[in-house]
């Protein structure tokens, strides 16, 4: 089972659309996967309760357990203010440290409406995930100008599909 994390809680996000495309590509390879959409986070998850396990809501505990139950995670990461979304950082901070991510394997896909495809965001996230002990696949597709290359749930730029297919091939054997 591969967990795909849609790295924003923004409603109707392009990130979730790309996560669903990624899941379809995995399904075509008979690889089981599920999406963890950060829109599922309880509204109070980023309160001071984030730092006291005994105050976690059942909803947050269920999301944490989904991460704990897998060995491979794909992060679909939009670029927000030249980094990745704070809600993704807060979610990672709320995972059981150090066991939640240690010795697991991860893959990253960067999205941006600008020309860099989330390059700096992926670099920042890679640093955090390495600190948490997650082994990150070196191949990190960056999809710039994503808002121009995604129509009705499909890529209009064939290179984007190729980049994801190549990453999946590597990730499945990683």
């Amino acid at each position: 089972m591969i967990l795909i994390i849609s790295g924003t809680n923004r409603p109707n996000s392009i990130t979730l659309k790309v996560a669903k495309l990624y899941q379809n590509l995995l399904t075509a390879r008979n690889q089981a996967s599920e999406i963890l959409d950060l829109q599922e986070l309880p509204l109070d998850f980023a309160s001071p309760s984030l730092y006291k396990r005994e105050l976690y809501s059942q909803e947050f505990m269920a999301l944490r357990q989904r991460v704990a139950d897998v060995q491979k995670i794909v992060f679909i990461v939009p670029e927000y203010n030249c980094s990745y979304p704070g809600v993704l950082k807060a979610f990672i901070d709320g995972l059981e440290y150090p066991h939640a991510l240690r010795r697991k394997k991860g893959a990253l896909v960067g999205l941006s409406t600008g020309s860099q495809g989330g390059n700096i965001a992926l670099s920042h996230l890679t640093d955090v995930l390495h600190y948490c002990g997650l082994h990150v696949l070196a191949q990190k597709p960056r999809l710039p100008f994503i808002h121009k290359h995604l129509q009705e749930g499909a890529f209009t730029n064939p290179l984007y599909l190729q980049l994801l297919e190549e990453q999946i091939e590597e990730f499945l054997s990683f």
Side-chain angles (χ1 to χ4, degrees):
M1 171 70 69
I2 294 176
L3 184 65
I4 303 165
I5 296 180
S6 176
T8 182
N9 61 346
R10 183 173 283 180
N12 303 311
S13 71
I14 290 174
T15 306
L16 182 57
K17 292 173 185 172
V18 172
K20 289 177 180 179
L21 278 169
Y22 203 100
Q23 184 177 42
N24 290 339
L25 295 172
L26 289 170
T27 300
R29 292 172 179 262
N30 296 317
Q31 174 60 56
S33 65
E34 64 180 40
I35 295 173
L36 190 157
D37 182 359
L38 292 186
Q39 288 185 84
E40 298 173 35
L41 287 167
L43 293 177
D44 66 345
F45 108 97
S47 72
S49 67
L50 182 65
Y51 304 102
K52 293 186 178 179
R53 188 181 198 284
E54 64 273 8
L55 297 178
Y56 288 167
S57 68
Q58 290 300 314
E59 295 89 356
F60 187 62
M61 290 299 289
L63 295 175
R64 282 173 43 121
Q65 190 61 48
R66 289 174 66 189
V67 173
D69 289 344
V70 299
Q71 291 301 309
K72 289 188 174 184
I73 304 170
V74 176
F75 293 85
I76 309 296
V77 185
E79 180 182 60
Y80 282 18
N81 300 314
C82 207
S83 190
Y84 62 96
V87 70
L88 178 56
K89 176 67 165 80
F91 177 71
I92 292 168
D93 288 348
L95 297 175
E96 183 182 2
Y97 181 81
H99 306 293
L101 299 175
R102 182 177 280 169
R103 296 186 187 93
K104 294 184 179 187
K105 296 177 180 174
L108 309 181
V109 177
L111 313 175
S112 74
T113 56
S115 64
Q116 297 299 309
N119 188 42
I120 296 173
L122 293 183
S123 177
H124 291 169
L125 182 56
T126 298
D127 288 347
V128 169
L129 295 173
H130 281 169
Y131 181 82
C132 294
L134 187 83
H135 302 288
V136 178
L137 184 69
Q139 188 174 1
K140 301 174 202 169
R142 298 183 313 269
L143 310 180
F145 302 114
I146 188 65
H147 63 296
K148 295 179 180 180
H149 297 290
L150 187 68
Q151 300 290 324
E152 299 177 23
F155 292 121
T156 59
N157 185 336
L159 176 62
Y160 288 13
L161 182 60
Q162 178 185 341
L163 291 171
L164 294 186
E165 290 277 8
E166 289 172 359
Q167 182 192 51
I168 288 170
E169 186 71 29
E170 290 295 317
F171 193 52
L172 291 177
S173 64
F174 182 48

